Structure formats: structure tokens, C-alpha cells
Amino acid sequence: MMATHQRYLPVRGEDGALLPYFVTMANGACDEAVVARGNESVLRARYEDALFFWNADLEGGDLDSFVPKLDQLTFADGLGSVGLRARRIAEVASARAGRTAISDAERTTMRRAGELAKVDLATQMVIEMSSLAGFIAGEYARRTGEDPQVATALEEMEQPRTSADAVPQSLPGTLLALADRADLLVGLLATGAKATGSSDPFGLRRAALGIVRILRSWTDPRLIADLTLRTVLQAAADRLREQGVDAGEDVVADAAQFAESRFAQLLRDEGVAAEQVAAVAPGMDRPGRVDQMLTEIDELLDREDFQALVAAVQRTSRIVPAGTTPDTDSPLLTAPAEIRLREVLDGFRAPESLPALTAASGELVQAVNAFFEDILVMDPQEDLRLARLGLLAAVLAAMPAQVDWAALDTAISVR
């Protein structure tokens, strides 16, 4: 409140704790004592107001009494009340929880936090000081006897507020925070909201980057099996459609593209080379995996075996027309190089990590190179040409879809 509402600079001790001092500015010459007393009086009044709101809010003794009041607050045209939005958030989080390794205790925490989602927006404190949303929910929850984990989840649901803010650490808080931002992003895009230029009055960029930052922090596939940008956005769209909002596949695609473009810009702002950002663009649906891939790419770019793999895949992709169906079973493939490539492909399973893929691809790279040396792919005989292109298409199909090999080739060339 001191910094946000009064523009005062708080003073902290060496341990980070707040001290009973603040710094403010005055234009021109002034009586410093008078200015200090005046500002102290203003700040004291603000804190007295906050104490009044705090005590008034907590008179009822529980948070459930505030929940019905959320239905009296409008969220956005076409998207219903804040109460309706809070219920959507809880439902989306619950739907995603069913696809994670969530414990019974965490599920109970999330269910209760979902029942209280956005509850502090109906409190006098947050109505007066909206920047305290989330913090007040957690503090009131602790003081009204809620489980501490529920209080934490209510706080974490509002994280991250800014690019520097912490992301949720608990699984219930993570699922609720994702559901919150997905509902906002999909819902507002479905009703025609847009972020243009530097203008973003609806907070679409903040919501998209919030989802990205949260997903970047969760990288263990055993914990969250299919928690991706699209699965989160799709779950939000499903609930919105149940309430009559036109949130179809096109809206989900637009929301995913918007979030992925924000992620790409964030990576460039962080200093990642444009070629490497382009190389991982197909996999931006899984932000946590993108960070791992960028680390792997940076470590592999100077390795000859990785360069050979990229060159073989890129050489293949240049000759295979888009939409070619992979096929290794054609009886027309009888030349030794064709048979060898087919045999290698039949026994090849691409690992997800790029270092493991590089280590496992040596034989495949040799077979591809031998194929191009010995075989005329674009044979005048159409059925033979198509069979060979189908075999090469199978090479591309065996590679991870989360990588843009052309961009990798460029990244190697400009290294």
C-alpha cells in the first residue's frame, strides 16, 4: 500500500524486514518537518482505513459468507459474473488435476481453494485496494481457520502478477493459477478482446506470459503428464462453451498462438538467438521442455555428430514435398541402399532428448547419406519416385516433431 497507493519508498533492514520509515520527494524548497508530518498523517490515515476494512471483513468469522457476493460483481460482457468465473476456474483446475499425479491431500486442498476462488474480490479491503488480491485471500484464510495449504493455494492462484513475481510452488496453486489465466485469455479472445501495439487493457499479454512462466517451472513429466498450453486452454474453452460462450477450436488456436508468440518474444528478450528460438518453435506448447531443448541445442551445436544428423534431416526435408505419406513397405524398394534404410527405420525409436537422439542416430544418418549417394530419388518412373519419397518421409516422421530442423541448420551455419 505504501509504495503502490502513496508512491512512498519503504525502508528495509539488512534482513529485508520493513522498518518504520519511508522516503518521499518534495518539489523545491520546503519545511522538511512539516512535509514529513503531513505525509505521515496521510499514511497513518490509509493504514487506519485498512485496519477498519480488515476488522470489518473478519467480523463474520469465515470466508464462505463472501462467496455469494461474487455473483453480484461483473467480470466482463458476455462472460458473466466473477462468481461464475470463479466456478469455471475451480472446474478447469479439477479437470486438469485428473491428468496429474496429484495426491489425495492436494486434491482436497485444491477443491476447498476452488470453492473460495476470487473470494477476496468481494471483501472491503480488496475493493478499496485491488492490488492486494490474493494476498488478502491467503491472510483471511489463515485467520478464519482454513487449512494453511488452502491459504497458500489462494495466494498462489494470483501468481505471477508481474514478470518478476514468483510462480506457484504447490500443485493446487499451480493448477488454479493456470485455470485462472486460461479462462481470462480464452474468454476475452472469444468475446473479441485484443491486445494491439502497446495497448493491452484486458491484461491478455500478462495472462499469456503467466501461463508460460508457470509451465516453464514444471518440467517433470511424471508429475504432470500432459499439462501443456493447449490442454490448459482447451479445458478453459470447454467450460466456457458449456456456459454459451463461443470458444471453439479457432479461439483455442488463437489463444495458443498468442501465448507462444509471447513466449518467443520473451526468449529473445532473454538473449536467446533468433535461430534457436525458431528451432524450438514447434515445441512451444511445452514451455518447460523448450528450456531443456535450448540448453541441449547450445551444447550440441559444435558437435560433428549433431551437425551430421541435422544435415541429413534437412537434406531429406528439402526433397520431400509437404504432405507426403510415410511408407516403408513398398515392394518397389529393392536396391541395397533402400533396403538398408528401411531396416534401420524399422528398428529406430527417437529419444526425446536431443543428446540421446544424436547418440542413437548414427546408423540412421549413415543409411540416409548412403541412400542419397546410391539412389536417384526423383526417378522418371512415377511409382518408384513416390515409393522413394515415402521412404524419406518416414525418416522425417521418425524425428521429434518439436524441432524445426531448417532453423537448426541455420543456427549451425551462423554459429
Side-chain angles (χ1 to χ4, degrees), residues 353-367:
S353 84
L354 293 179
L357 175 65
T358 303
S361 300
E363 192 175 9
L364 179 60
V365 170
Q366 292 176 5

Side-chain angles (χ1 to χ4, degrees), residues 10 74 89-90 133 143 148 175 189 212 225 235 257 280 297 304 336 344 363:
T74 300
I89 291 170
R143 282 161 175 76
L175 293 170
L189 288 177
V212 166
Q257 183 180 26
V280 298
I297 288 170
E304 292 183 3
V344 173
E363 192 175 9

Side-chain angles (χ1 to χ4, degrees), residues 26-44:
N27 292 328
C30 63
D31 186 324
E32 294 179 5
V34 172
V35 170
R37 285 196 302 271
N39 281 282
E40 287 171 357
S41 177
V42 170
L43 186 58
R44 186 177 297 109

Side-chain angles (χ1 to χ4, degrees), residues 8 14 16 20 26 30 41 75 89 106 110 120 123 134 153 187 196 240 286 296 314 318 325 346 365:
Y8 297 159
E14 293 182 359
C30 63
S41 177
F75 169 49
I89 291 170
E106 288 173 323
M110 193 186 68
D120 56 349
T123 64
T196 57
L240 285 160
R286 295 172 59 193
E296 293 168 0
Q314 179 60 3
R318 279 197 295 263
T325 302
D346 287 343
V365 170

Side-chain angles (χ1 to χ4, degrees), residues 299-308 354-355 358-359 412:
E299 295 172 351
L300 290 169
L301 282 180
D302 294 327
R303 281 178 43 174
E304 292 183 3
D305 53 352
F306 182 66
Q307 294 172 0
L354 293 179
T358 303
I412 290 172

Side-chain angles (χ1 to χ4, degrees), residues 32-152:
E32 294 179 5
V34 172
V35 170
R37 285 196 302 271
N39 281 282
E40 287 171 357
S41 177
V42 170
L43 186 58
R44 186 177 297 109
R46 295 290 288 176
Y47 279 124
E48 288 174 352
D49 287 344
L51 181 61
F52 172 81
F53 296 138
W54 179 282
N55 291 331
D57 286 337
L58 292 176
E59 280 181 355
D62 64 62
L63 292 182
D64 290 291
S65 61
F66 291 101
V67 173
K69 299 177 183 179
L70 295 176
D71 288 320
Q72 302 170 19
L73 304 175
T74 300
F75 169 49
D77 288 342
L79 296 176
S81 66
V82 173
L84 191 60
R85 167 164 151 75
R87 291 189 286 276
R88 286 198 303 265
I89 291 170
E91 291 167 0
V92 171
S94 179
R96 288 293 84 209
R99 307 298 296 270
T100 69
I102 189 170
S103 69
D104 290 342
E106 288 173 323
R107 191 180 300 277
T108 299
T109 294
M110 193 186 68
R111 185 181 301 112
R112 179 55 179 161
E115 292 172 355
L116 297 174
K118 301 294 179 181
V119 69
D120 56 349
L121 296 185
T123 64
Q124 294 187 59
M125 180 71 84
V126 174
I127 289 173
E128 178 68 20
M129 303 172 188
S130 59
S131 62
L132 295 178
F135 170 79
I136 289 298
E139 288 299 312
Y140 282 11
R142 293 184 182 93
R143 282 161 175 76
T144 55
E146 296 289 342
D147 186 286
Q149 299 304 316
V150 171
T152 297

